[in-house]
Amino acid sequence: MKLRLRLTVAYGLLFTGVLSVLSFAGYAALIREQFVTLDRVLVTTARLVESGILRSGRSYALDADTARPSRDGIVIVLRSYAPDGTLAQRSPNDPGLPVTAPWAPLRTPAPPAFWDAVPLPDWLARRDVVDGRRAFGTLGVSGQRWRRYVVQIRRETRTVGYVEALTPLARADDTAQAATRLLLTVLAGTVIGVLGITWVVAGAVLRPVTALTRAARAVAGSRDLTQRVQPGPPDELGQLTVTFNEMLGRLQRAWASQQRFVEDASHELRAPMTVLRGNLDLLRRYPHMDPAERDEVMADMDRETGRLSRLVEDLLLLAQREQDVPLPQQGVSLREVVRTAVQDAQKLSPAHDVTLRLHPAGDPLTVPGHRDQLQQLLLILLDNAVKYSPPGTRVIVRVEGQPESVLVDVEDQGSGIDAADLPHIFHRFYRADPARQRQGGTGLGLAIAQLIASRHGTALFVARTGPGGTVFRVTFSRSGGSSSAAAETHGGA
Ligand code: ADP
């Protein structure tokens, strides 16, 4: 069942229940009072007649002309019976009501007039029988109910007769029926109204949810991530809509970046493959190739195979870094990490002078992070520094401990990075100068380095570049989390 329908039904049932109980209580109080008043008048009048008969053998009430209703509009008909049940006297206002045995109600008493329509259990009906000598009964006369009250008159143990007081219930019954009709009409009308209002309100409240569901379904069906849901008022559902839109935006960007990445990766992989296939073809077609030419072809294939494997390795590395769960926050000594990276770089390019400057001396320069990844980041920067600066120049790694952070600079004396290239160098597969592809770069180094930096809550950026060389800088917070430099982000797509 739909949530809207469920809400409506639940609220409708609850409301109907509460309203029914309240209205029934009000109705019962109103109607019951009328019947109880009649019963009270019957009892008092019968008692009056009983005491008259006991005192003087007769009662003036039986003779009185009570044809006129009392001030309350109550008509009381009185009758007295001999001990054997024969009618002795009837009040002048008796319209000729049928005579039945006066003891009938004493044997089978009627329940309270209010309940008369409902078949009540015997014990409840018998509550109205007082000491076995007085009881209420009901007399049906041409479709109308008369309430009767019978008293057995006794002198010591002897029955001297019966007295019976009767009153028509027509007026009270009519009032009860009218009240019932009114109550049911009002109840039904109110319940229908409440159901309608609940349906409308539930629909309005759930509209954003419906819109979200529709949008989510459309996205799932068409993969169209450009869809957005119009946010409603800024309540919880409005916030949900905003969050949903933000999520779609992020998905859209991630999807686009993934698409671009797959395209770039296939493009990058295709180039060395084409060279390899072409060279293989040459070798197959000219098995007796000139040895010098053959060596050249083989060297070419060797170079391309190397490039291919570097590319695959870098792609794997990037994929691994992207899947990394939050890094374990171990203390890593940057002093040691940088020293190892500098030694590796020196071995990589003995033609360069790779110098390390640490400050302050003796400080292990510990930062929370992942040792292998920090080493990888430094190696990428050092690899680039030697790759993009002429042999014989100096590469300086400067590590400076500050109270809250540790700053790492990698400086080279190369020809610098063009201003036009600067915003793109952290993008995957971006190489500033295609001619430099010969340097063997995959265009993934800085993207990986940037990813590692952001995993450490910071950012890698170019602090200075120009004809005199380039400085890459990264600042690590000693306590973890983002450092001030992290504010300067460079998007790696
Ligand atoms: P690559 O594998 O080509 O080195 P990177 O992502 O490491 O890929 O670098 C992207 C581009 O940034 C390089 O192609 C290069 O043009 C430029 N670059 C990186 N480091 C330096 C540097 N130290 N000096 C000059 N240019 C650099």
Side-chain angles (χ1 to χ4, degrees):
M1 207 196 289
K2 275 180 154 188
L3 183 58
R4 185 182 184 184
L5 188 61
R6 270 211 315 261
L7 275 176
T8 310
V9 169
Y11 191 69
L13 282 178
L14 183 74
F15 187 83
T16 311
V18 172
L19 192 69
S20 303
V21 169
L22 288 179
S23 342
F24 184 74
Y27 164 85
L30 175 81
I31 301 305
R32 187 176 167 276
E33 193 48 40
Q34 291 202 29
F35 288 102
V36 168
T37 308
L38 287 178
D39 280 0
R40 222 176 281 136
V41 176
L42 284 178
V43 170
T44 350
T45 321
R47 207 174 275 159
L48 195 74
V49 177
E50 180 192 13
S51 65
I53 292 176
L54 280 175
R55 209 181 316 111
S56 56
R58 56 177 296 113
S59 168
Y60 78 92
L62 272 162
D63 304 327
D65 182 8
T66 46
R68 270 190 303 121
S70 73
R71 244 189 317 136
D72 305 330
I74 300 172
V75 174
I76 302 287
V77 172
L78 289 167
R79 297 197 284 209
S80 65
Y81 295 85
D84 64 354
T86 50
L87 184 68
Q89 192 182 353
R90 58 169 91 199
S91 60
N93 67 344
D94 186 346
L97 296 174
V99 177
T100 55
W103 48 77
L106 297 175
R107 287 180 193 155
T108 46
F114 173 48
W115 287 114
D116 216 3
V118 188
L120 286 183
D122 218 30
W123 61 267
L124 199 61
R126 286 210 164 266
R127 280 194 326 172
D128 273 14
V129 184
V130 189
D131 65 29
R133 296 201 303 120
R134 305 153 204 269
F136 285 100
T138 314
L139 200 65
V141 184
S142 26
Q144 288 204 338
R145 297 198 304 151
W146 282 70
R147 183 80 166 155
R148 73 199 287 213
Y149 181 66
V150 176
V151 179
Q152 184 186 38
I153 309 168
R154 286 192 173 192
R155 188 164 280 130
E156 281 147 22
T157 54
R158 195 166 55 86
T159 303
V160 293
Y162 297 88
V163 63
E164 180 185 33
L166 297 116
T167 188
L169 290 177
R171 216 162 60 120
D173 278 350
D174 284 352
T175 313
Q177 271 170 21
T180 309
R181 268 198 304 275
L182 184 72
L183 180 83
L184 289 179
T185 314
V186 171
L187 200 66
T190 315
V191 168
I192 289 170
V194 165
L195 284 178
I197 291 169
T198 312
W199 178 257
V200 172
V201 170
V205 168
L206 293 175
R207 198 167 300 133
V209 179
T210 316
L212 278 180
T213 314
R214 211 174 293 137
R217 222 177 265 150
V219 169
S222 65
R223 297 204 178 183
D224 175 12
L225 293 166
T226 58
Q227 303 241 5
R228 293 292 179 276
V229 184
Q230 191 66 32
D235 53 13
E236 287 85 347
L237 286 175
Q239 279 165 15
L240 178 66
T241 312
V242 171
T243 313
F244 181 76
N245 283 341
E246 282 171 4
M247 187 193 74
L248 278 182
R250 233 170 283 140
L251 274 176
Q252 190 184 355
R253 284 194 294 279
W255 176 254
S257 133
Q258 198 189 348
Q259 287 293 99
R260 219 167 32 238
F261 178 68
V262 170
E263 279 165 21
D264 291 349
S266 350
H267 176 78
E268 293 293 329
L269 287 168
R270 207 175 295 131
M273 301 277 258
T274 315
V275 176
L276 280 174
R277 205 178 293 129
N279 285 343
L280 270 176
D281 210 33
L282 269 179
L283 288 175
R284 203 180 299 119
R285 263 192 288 148
Y286 306 106
H288 307 296
M289 198 187 273
D290 176 56
E293 250 182 275
R294 190 188 176 85
D295 284 350
E296 203 177 312
V297 169
M298 294 298 269
D300 207 18
M301 287 176 72
D302 206 27
R303 204 170 39 247
E304 290 307 320
T305 316
R307 190 171 151 210
L308 203 58
S309 54
R310 266 196 310 281
L311 195 63
V312 171
E313 264 168 36
D314 277 359
L315 279 173
L316 269 174
L317 211 63
L318 197 65
Q320 277 169 5
R321 292 292 158 267
E322 279 195 326
Q323 283 169 10
D324 274 343
V325 280
L327 292 167
Q329 295 287 300
Q330 302 165 338
V332 178
S333 162
L334 277 180
R335 177 180 285 271
E336 278 176 36
V337 168
V338 175
R339 195 167 273 156
T340 317
V342 165
Q343 281 166 4
D344 288 351
Q346 192 69 74
K347 277 184 225 149
L348 201 74
S349 174
H352 284 84
D353 174 12
V354 187
T355 312
L356 173 60
R357 288 186 191 158
L358 290 159
H359 179 82
D363 184 347
L365 303 163
T366 307
V367 295
H370 193 285
R371 168 179 259 282
D372 290 350
Q373 291 189 19
L374 289 174
Q375 193 139 344
Q376 202 168 51
L377 186 154
L378 277 156
L379 264 179
I380 290 170
L381 295 182
L382 282 166
D383 182 44
N384 279 352
V386 297
K387 217 159 52 180
Y388 301 116
S389 61
T393 55
R394 178 179 278 189
V395 172
I396 305 167
V397 181
R398 209 173 287 111
V399 187
E400 199 179 306
Q402 288 165 351
E404 299 292 322
S405 54
V406 180
L407 179 144
V408 180
D409 272 359
V410 177
E411 183 179 341
D412 64 52
Q413 294 172 336
S415 53
I417 305 167
D418 279 357
D421 296 321
L422 213 47
H424 308 291
I425 55 167
F426 293 96
H427 293 178
R428 289 162 188 182
F429 299 115
Y430 188 83
R431 275 163 298 206
D433 178 1
R436 283 177 175 172
Q437 288 187 19
R438 273 182 269 116
Q439 304 276 7
T442 59
L444 290 173
L446 287 180
I448 297 171
Q450 182 68 281
L451 201 62
I452 294 173
S454 78
R455 292 260 157 186
H456 284 78
T458 184
L460 169 68
F461 62 101
V462 177
R464 177 168 56 79
T465 185
T470 306
V471 178
F472 277 91
R473 176 171 296 168
V474 59
T475 310
F476 297 97
S477 160
R478 285 194 194 248
S479 57
S482 51
S483 65
S484 57
E488 202 168 336
T489 50
H490 299 259

